[in-house]
Amino acid sequence: MRPLAAIVDLSAIVHNYSVAKRCAPGRQAFAVVKANAYGHGVREVVTALRDIADGFAVASLEEAAEVRAMHDEARILLLEGCFEAGEYAIAAQLGFDLVLQSAAQADALLGSELPRPLNVWLKLDSGMHRLGFDAAELRQWHARLADAPQVAELNLLSHFACADERGHPLTEQQVECFLGLLDLDFTHRSLANSAAVLTIPAAHMDWLRPGIMLYGATPFADLSASELALKPAMTLAARVIAVHEVAAGESVGYGAAWVAERDSRIATVSCGYADGYPRHAPSGTPVLVEGQLAMLAGRVSMDMLAVDITDVPEAGIDSPVELWGSNLPVDEVAIACGTIGYELLTKVTARVPRRYIG
C-alpha cells in the first residue's frame, strides 16, 4: 500500500468544539461540517460530535441529507438555503433549518406546499456583500414571513468579512448593523464564525458557528492554534521512498527549478498535488522528516515531492514524513504556500485514505 494517509484525531475535534462552547457560555453551537467536514470525513466527525453538538451546519441539501441519515434528531442548518423549488418540500420533510438569502429564495418558499413549516434564518448582508438582504429588505421580508404558514421559527443570521483581522473597522460596523435589527422579533440569532467565537464576545448571539477552529487550525495570522488552545485534527503522513545524492550545482525536479547550493541529500516523498498537497508550494516550505525540520526542494509532482534532508543525516528510505499535523501546524505550511489552512485541509483528496484515532 502506498505510504500516505490522513490521520484524523476525532478527540481533537471534540476538544475544539468544547473550546468554542467555553468561549461563549450558555450559547448553542452549530458544528460546521460542510465540504466533508473540511476534508476530515463527515460521517466520522458527526458521529464523534453526536452527543455534544447542538446542531450541524452544511452548504447544501445533499450534505444535510447525509448528516440526517446519521442523526435523525440533530438540528441541521443549510447555510446557503435551497437552490431549486423542489428542495423546499424535501427540506421540510427532513426537518432542516433553512437560510433565506435572496428574494428569489423567499418567493420560492412562500410558493411551496410543505409537509410541515421550516425554521427559517433570514440572512443579513451586514457588509460582506456576498449573500443576504440589506437591512431595509430584511425588515420587509420579516413582515411578510412572520405569519407565513411555511415558517415555524423566524431567525436572523449574518457572516463576518474580516473577523480574522483583529481590529478591522468593518467588523464593528457589521456588529452594529446586526444589532440594529434586533428590535424585530426573532427566535434565534447567529453571527459568530470561528474568529468571532474566539475573540469577539459582542458577536456571541444565541447560536455560534465554529468551522475551521473545529479542525485545529487558526483563523488568525497573528495567533497560533496552540495559543488558542486548539488541537490539530489532521496529520498528513507519508514516508521517504527514495534518496539521492545531488552534487552542488545540479537541479532537482520538473523545470530544474531547485539547484543545489551544496552537495545535498534529497528525499523523494510519497505525496503530490493529486493527493491535495499544493502544487504551488515553493521550495523552502517546511516538512518534518524523522521529526526534524526539512525543506521542500523543487516543484511538487503529481504523486511525489522532494525534500532536502542534508541536515537530517539519520533520514533514509522509509523514514516517516509529516507534511502537516500534530507537530507541524497546517497554518505554517499554508503561510509558506501563500494560502490558508482551510484550503489545505479541504483539498486532501479521496485517494488519500483517512485513518481515525481518538
Side-chain angles (χ1 to χ4, degrees):
M1 181 179 291
R2 184 166 175 251
L4 177 65
I7 302 165
V8 178
D9 185 348
L10 296 171
S11 67
I13 296 173
V14 171
H15 166 85
N16 296 334
Y17 182 85
S18 298
V19 170
K21 294 279 284 187
R22 289 198 299 270
C23 286
R27 271 67 169 189
Q28 294 180 288
F30 287 112
V32 182
V33 294
K34 63 183 180 179
N36 194 31
Y38 288 50
H40 292 71
V42 67
R43 293 180 179 276
E44 291 77 9
V45 171
V46 169
T47 299
L49 293 174
R50 179 187 178 96
D51 295 332
I52 65 168
D54 303 307
F56 299 93
V58 296
S60 68
L61 188 72
E62 293 82 2
E63 290 182 343
E66 187 173 7
V67 176
R68 176 61 76 225
M70 293 178 280
H71 200 320
D72 57 6
E73 297 180 355
R75 193 157 186 168
I76 303 170
L77 174 63
L78 276 69
L79 290 166
E80 298 173 29
C82 291
F83 300 103
E84 299 177 5
E87 293 183 348
Y88 292 89
I90 299 171
Q93 180 181 2
L94 294 177
F96 299 146
D97 283 34
L98 185 71
V99 166
L100 293 181
Q101 52 86 9
S102 70
Q105 286 186 337
D107 283 330
L109 173 64
L110 292 176
S112 298
E113 293 186 8
L114 305 180
R116 56 177 167 172
L118 285 156
N119 293 333
V120 169
W121 294 77
L122 286 175
K123 183 155 191 177
L124 170 67
D125 179 3
S126 56
M128 189 169 185
H129 303 319
R130 185 176 65 178
L131 294 176
F133 304 98
D134 66 29
E137 292 170 331
L138 193 138
R139 287 182 178 278
Q140 293 170 3
W141 280 109
H142 182 279
R144 289 188 61 183
L145 293 165
D147 297 318
Q150 293 89 350
V151 177
E153 292 179 1
L154 191 55
N155 306 310
L156 179 65
L157 174 146
S158 192
H159 191 64
F160 284 114
C162 303
D164 56 340
E165 300 178 38
R166 293 191 293 163
H168 196 290
L170 180 56
T171 299
E172 184 176 352
Q173 294 172 29
Q174 289 191 264
V175 172
E176 291 176 356
C177 183
F178 192 92
L179 296 177
L181 287 168
L182 296 189
D183 60 299
L184 299 175
D185 185 19
F186 293 106
T187 307
H188 297 287
R189 305 159 300 164
S190 179
L191 181 57
N193 58 359
S194 290
V197 167
L198 292 163
T199 63
I200 308 175
H204 296 171
M205 304 294 170
D206 305 295
W207 284 82
L208 315 171
R209 303 194 309 277
I212 192 63
M213 68 176 293
L214 291 181
Y215 308 102
T218 177
F220 303 103
D222 59 342
L223 284 175
S224 69
S226 61
E227 289 175 308
L228 295 167
L230 302 175
K231 295 182 179 181
M234 179 191 289
T235 295
L236 187 59
R239 288 195 172 268
V240 173
I241 60 173
V243 177
H244 287 87
E245 305 289 337
V246 176
E250 293 190 0
S251 63
V252 170
Y254 284 120
W258 186 89
V259 177
E261 296 181 354
R262 58 178 177 170
D263 291 347
S264 303
R265 296 177 70 235
I266 302 298
T268 303
V269 175
S270 55
C271 183
Y273 61 77
D275 304 299
Y277 195 88
R279 183 179 181 275
H280 62 274
S283 295
T285 298
V287 179
L288 293 183
V289 181
E290 292 284 0
Q292 297 189 50
L293 186 65
M295 300 296 176
L296 194 70
R299 294 181 186 171
V300 176
S301 302
M302 180 178 286
D303 309 301
M304 294 168 279
L305 53 82
V307 178
D308 183 353
I309 57 168
T310 309
D311 297 324
V312 189
E314 63 269 44
I317 293 175
D318 209 36
S319 283
V321 177
E322 183 175 315
L323 297 160
W324 63 69
S326 56
N327 299 297
L328 178 60
V330 67
D331 304 297
E332 290 187 19
V333 180
I335 289 170
C337 297
T339 185
I340 54 177
Y342 300 64
E343 182 178 15
L344 298 190
L345 294 173
T346 59
K347 284 195 171 180
V348 177
T349 64
R351 82 192 295 230
V352 181
R354 270 61 169 175
R355 297 177 185 168
Y356 294 93
I357 61 175

